[in-house]
Amino acid sequence: MQAIPKAEHGIDPALVSPAAVRIVHKLCEAGFEAYIVGGAVRDLLLGAHPKDFDVATNATPEQVKGLFRSARIIGRRFQIVHVRDGREVIEVTTYRGHHGSEGAQPATSKQSDKGLLLRDNVYGTLEEDAARRDLTINAMYYDPEREVVLDQLAGTEDLQARLVRVIGDPWARYREDPVRMLRVARFAAKLQFDLEPTTEEAIADCAPLLREIPPARLFDEFLKLFMAGFGKPTFLLLLQHDLLSCLCPAATESINAQTSHRHLVSMAMGNTDQRVKDGRPVTPAFLLAALLWPAVTTRSGQLLQEGMPPAQAINSAGQQLTAETCQHMAIPKRFSIPMREIWELQPKLERQQKRRVPDILSGRRFRAAYDLLLLRDQAGPDLEQAVQFWTEQQRLNPELVGSAPRTDDERPASKRRRPRRRKPAP
Ligand code: ATP
Ligand code: MG
């Protein structure tokens, strides 16, 4: 395996998390191997601040737990240990081995008929662990004590060539875990890298496999794709490779049908990215409202033609589309409820009724609904009058905007009122 010395890799030790270094040190002291691995090494080699740190080791999850008081074993499909050190949580994973190798038994290894990995807890060597990772640029190991990088799959070369390359045969690797296709798009967009040709070619064949992924996992992935500050380039890449339709088919169909629709969603993504960069709060509810809006208007347009009143048409289209989308990615209620409220405010904002102003302005969703109205106006239909009206109303009544009290649903979990426990019957 290629060991790259400090003079060549140039990692700045000041960017390395002291907590990760302490954990590696303690594991090594106890006689195990341990390295910083994955995205952290990739980002360190690019001179960037890693978002979080992962550690790989030959110690089993139980052995890791034995060494750290703050360790918690989590996961089933893929067991990992969370070790808390101060305010940081470091993910410690045991080297994965090959399925079909000696250590592979039903308790540790399970694959579906189609090759999907259902359980992935076969332990192996560092070489096997590297080969089981998703991308060459995510499969490098950093030893913070000797300050060397171990790179057996030429990840450093791909970093230099700015290429996202799946390790091994992309068709087989996507079949094992179709979410890897979304990861390919995410890293290509975030790093502004190109896709290596076979990595790209296999996506066209394998994209439908994403339908096999549990909707809850796809929603987790949705958040990583769009809430991390690179939503706009990710959105465009997912559209280009027809991967977005696996997350939200109806929305994608409407987005592909009209340039103005694509424009609206892409602006919403761009605004969210900017907010992330400025450190301002962002909510998936707004992004989801924008992403599905083209489908909501298309569907409600059909209902209007059938004679349904506007408010009812939006309400009904919104309900249908939420239910349809949740079959692919499970949007939690705490996001789908505000998302629908943002839609339902659109016809009310368009109507500009004076007597409804205090009620609408003070509503919790007013700001988000107004932001969507602005985007709609910029993307296509002429809503300038409505925009002017609501801009003026906010100027006249700043104290009212969003002033209605929060419902319990909207409070962070820590601030929610606990339901009173009933005394057990005697
Ligand atoms: P980020 O900057 O988003 O944290 P990351 O590369 O660290 O990027 P994680 O999701 O934290 O991504 O995963 C950590 C590492 O685990 C990855 O770098 C990769 O080596 C490996 N990994 C994660 N998901 C998969 C997967 N689906 N298949 C194979 N390897 C994976
Ligand atoms: Mg990570």
Side-chain angles (χ1 to χ4, degrees), residues 245-290:
S245 57
C246 304
L247 296 173
C248 45
T252 310
E253 196 181 313
S254 298
I255 289 166
N256 281 329
Q258 265 190 45
T259 322
S260 64
H261 287 168
R262 194 174 62 234
H263 196 42
L264 178 135
V265 179
S266 144
M267 280 193 298
M269 298 276 175
N271 289 357
T272 303
D273 292 345
Q274 192 55 50
R275 291 183 72 99
V276 173
K277 289 195 180 93
D278 298 343
R280 285 183 290 160
V282 290
T283 157
F286 175 72
L287 207 57
L288 286 161

Side-chain angles (χ1 to χ4, degrees), residues 37-40 42-43 51-54 91 183 187:
V37 69
R42 175 197 72 219
D43 293 344
K51 185 165 63 57
D52 47 38
F53 281 80
D54 301 315
E91 260 182 38
R183 292 177 57 87
F187 292 117

Side-chain angles (χ1 to χ4, degrees), residues 381-425:
D382 181 14
L383 295 165
E384 210 180 312
Q385 251 196 355
V387 167
Q388 270 174 9
F389 177 85
W390 289 104
T391 310
E392 181 64 5
Q393 294 307 321
Q394 288 177 81
R395 198 182 60 77
L396 293 173
N397 312 287
E399 74 292 348
L400 274 183
V401 178
S403 62
R406 287 187 181 204
T407 62
D408 213 32
D409 262 7
E410 298 160 347
R411 294 194 181 96
S414 59
K415 301 249 165 75
R416 268 177 224 159
R417 264 178 244 143
R418 298 236 176 91
R420 242 189 243 157
R421 286 230 189 99
R422 288 230 187 114
K423 279 195 190 146

Side-chain angles (χ1 to χ4, degrees), residues 41 197 201:
V41 184
E201 198 188 326

Side-chain angles (χ1 to χ4, degrees), residues 38-40 42-43 51-52 54 132-134 138-139 173 177 180 183 186-187 190 217 224:
R42 175 197 72 219
D43 293 344
K51 185 165 63 57
D52 47 38
D54 301 315
R132 293 216 36 76
R133 290 181 180 269
D134 54 352
N138 283 348
R173 300 308 306 285
D177 182 4
R180 289 177 185 145
R183 292 177 57 87
R186 174 152 70 88
F187 292 117
K190 172 179 165 181
R217 186 168 174 217
K224 292 188 199 163

Side-chain angles (χ1 to χ4, degrees), residues 44-89:
L44 288 169
L45 287 167
L46 291 169
H49 253 290
K51 185 165 63 57
D52 47 38
F53 281 80
D54 301 315
V55 166
T57 176
N58 62 350
T60 62
E62 285 74 21
Q63 287 168 328
V64 176
K65 198 168 179 332
L67 276 179
F68 300 94
R69 255 192 306 159
S70 64
R72 270 192 336 132
I73 298 181
I74 57 166
R76 199 178 128 81
R77 198 185 72 90
F78 195 96
Q79 263 193 357
I80 56 181
V81 187
H82 276 177
V83 180
R84 180 174 286 283
D85 181 307
R87 295 176 65 181
E88 264 184 275
V89 175

